[in-house]
Amino acid sequence: MALLSRQLIPALRQAGHQVSVCAPMPLQEDASFLPSPFCREPFHLFTLDYGRSAEEYLYAKGMLRKGFLREDLKSLEQALQKTEPDLVLNLGRPAMQILAEKNQIPVWSAVHSSLYRTRPFPRECLDDLNAILKDLKLDQVLHLSDLYAHSVKRIAFGPLPVQPFSDDQNLIRCGAVLPSSESVPLSKKLCIYFTEIHASAHKLHHIIREAFLGAPYEVYVWYPGCRPAREENLHTLSELRPQNLAGSFVLIHDGTSFLFNTAMALGIPQAIISDGSYERSWNAAAGHRYGFAQVLQEEELAIGTLYETYRIVCSDDRYTEK
């Protein structure tokens, strides 16, 4: 959600709002910063098949564990006391939903269709969350999506076919977060952006370099841990630059919603490296189903498979036409 935050901050300030961000690390200089705990990933996943529930995935990441929830509740409560906001935008923090219900705080929450998918998950995924709700004398939940029922507004990014909701009550549907601009013709530019991929920086550098160095087009690359450099046509960036996307003939990315929706809005064909997480796998499946993305599972990522996935997108006009 950091990418989404970085795009929202200037838009909110331009509209005349003062903005404070509660996050593990500062995002931008033009918003006051209030620290929150890092979520460590201490655990296994119960199942290894793709398309896990939101509950199972977030539990495995540590976000639904009692220790982290208590830390996050404390940091958010301190942030609210310092800033006394008129409105809170919640970008994926279950603890904020608990606090909003407890203290009757108006909150607008970013939601994703995959949060509402009915998929079995081990009961213990919600045990810690429900223990905290019980301690606070709040209603316990059967699904994580139940927490979001208390939002004043829910914000969904993306069109109806790829982001369907059975209940549209209090739902605001948006397109991309980037400022609207005139259509830019596709050019000889390829962007490769990974934000949540599990492969190491060393492995990614090797795969991308071997696959695309010397190609007859410019390649712009960002992933966590990459070092800014230029080698022939290969540009590794110091930060992910969404503005580079306009005019790209293909975007290779890991299925995160910000990049998925931005590329869709700009009409850029996509090659998606997916994993078992609920949101990335949902986006990848939607892109494949509607014919504007080719999908590669992250466990299969290699020089040959990456290039072949990219080649399929480039060689078939249907990806651009969709």
Side-chain angles (χ1 to χ4, degrees):
M1 289 293 186
L3 279 173
L4 178 57
S5 300
R6 287 192 178 98
Q7 301 306 310
L8 285 173
I9 290 168
L12 289 168
R13 285 183 58 82
Q14 189 174 3
H17 299 286
Q18 291 183 341
V19 182
S20 299
V21 177
C22 183
M25 60 180 60
L27 296 177
Q28 289 187 194
E29 293 180 356
D30 54 355
S32 60
F33 169 66
L34 301 153
S36 68
F38 280 94
C39 183
R40 299 168 181 83
E41 300 186 24
F43 294 36
H44 67 286
L45 298 171
F46 292 103
T47 58
L48 298 177
D49 59 323
Y50 290 101
R52 285 185 296 269
S53 67
E55 291 84 356
E56 185 174 356
Y57 183 74
L58 293 177
Y59 180 80
K61 283 180 69 69
M63 291 188 68
L64 296 181
R65 297 291 292 176
K66 187 179 293 184
F68 175 75
L69 284 170
R70 290 198 186 284
E71 283 186 63
D72 208 23
L73 281 168
K74 182 179 179 180
S75 67
L76 286 166
E77 199 143 32
Q78 290 172 345
L80 292 170
Q81 289 170 356
K82 288 180 180 178
T83 58
E84 298 183 350
D86 299 313
L87 179 68
V88 174
L89 294 180
N90 182 22
L91 306 182
R93 304 269 284 280
M96 187 61 240
Q97 296 301 130
I98 298 172
L99 206 56
E101 184 182 358
K102 173 178 175 282
N103 297 334
Q104 298 298 298
I105 298 167
V107 60
W108 289 25
S109 304
V111 294
H112 192 274
S113 291
S114 56
L115 184 66
Y116 297 84
R117 175 166 48 187
T118 55
R119 181 180 174 86
F121 59 88
R123 187 193 64 186
E124 54 262 43
C125 292
L126 293 181
D127 281 353
D128 286 0
L129 173 64
N130 278 322
I132 288 177
L133 290 172
K134 184 178 179 180
D135 290 345
L136 295 174
K137 296 181 172 52
L138 300 174
D139 290 339
Q140 298 180 55
V141 297
L142 294 175
H143 301 278
L144 187 60
S145 57
D146 296 340
L147 280 180
Y148 291 83
H150 303 286
S151 302
V152 176
K153 294 289 184 183
R154 294 175 300 150
I155 308 169
F157 294 96
L160 180 61
V162 300
Q163 281 268 32
F165 289 85
S166 58
D167 177 16
D168 281 354
Q169 185 178 1
N170 81 344
L171 184 74
I172 299 173
R173 190 176 293 280
C174 305
V177 188
L178 288 175
S180 58
S181 59
E182 295 183 5
S183 178
V184 178
L186 301 185
S187 61
K188 299 184 72 173
K189 177 173 65 173
L190 167 67
C191 285
I192 304 175
Y193 289 164
F194 295 133
T195 61
E196 295 183 6
I197 202 160
H198 299 96
S200 68
H202 176 77
K203 178 180 179 179
L204 291 172
H205 174 75
H206 174 70
I207 289 174
I208 293 168
R209 186 178 185 278
E210 291 298 314
F212 297 106
L213 182 66
Y217 43 80
E218 301 301 304
V219 181
Y220 294 88
V221 180
W222 186 88
Y223 49 82
C226 73
R227 297 179 179 178
R230 178 174 181 178
E231 184 179 6
E232 298 182 27
N233 65 313
L234 199 61
H235 310 254
T236 52
L237 306 174
S238 58
E239 60 182 6
L240 194 156
R241 297 173 187 166
Q243 61 269 28
N244 277 355
L245 290 174
S248 301
F249 66 90
V250 173
L251 169 64
I252 300 174
H253 67 104
D254 51 9
T256 50
S257 290
F258 176 84
L259 293 171
F260 177 76
N261 289 317
T262 301
M264 191 164 39
L266 294 173
I268 302 170
Q270 304 180 43
I272 299 177
I273 314 303
S274 181
D275 70 346
S277 62
Y278 70 103
E279 190 170 312
R280 287 173 59 190
S281 61
W282 176 285
N283 291 339
H288 179 73
R289 181 168 60 250
Y290 290 103
F292 58 82
Q294 180 70 14
V295 179
L296 174 68
Q297 297 300 340
E298 189 174 326
E299 62 185 13
E300 300 171 349
L301 180 62
I303 298 167
T305 55
L306 176 64
Y307 190 82
E308 178 62 13
T309 303
Y310 154 80
R311 188 197 63 77
I312 291 171
V313 175
C314 290
S315 61
D316 193 334
D317 289 340
R318 72 188 174 109
Y319 291 99
T320 304
E321 293 167 357
K322 292 290 185 179

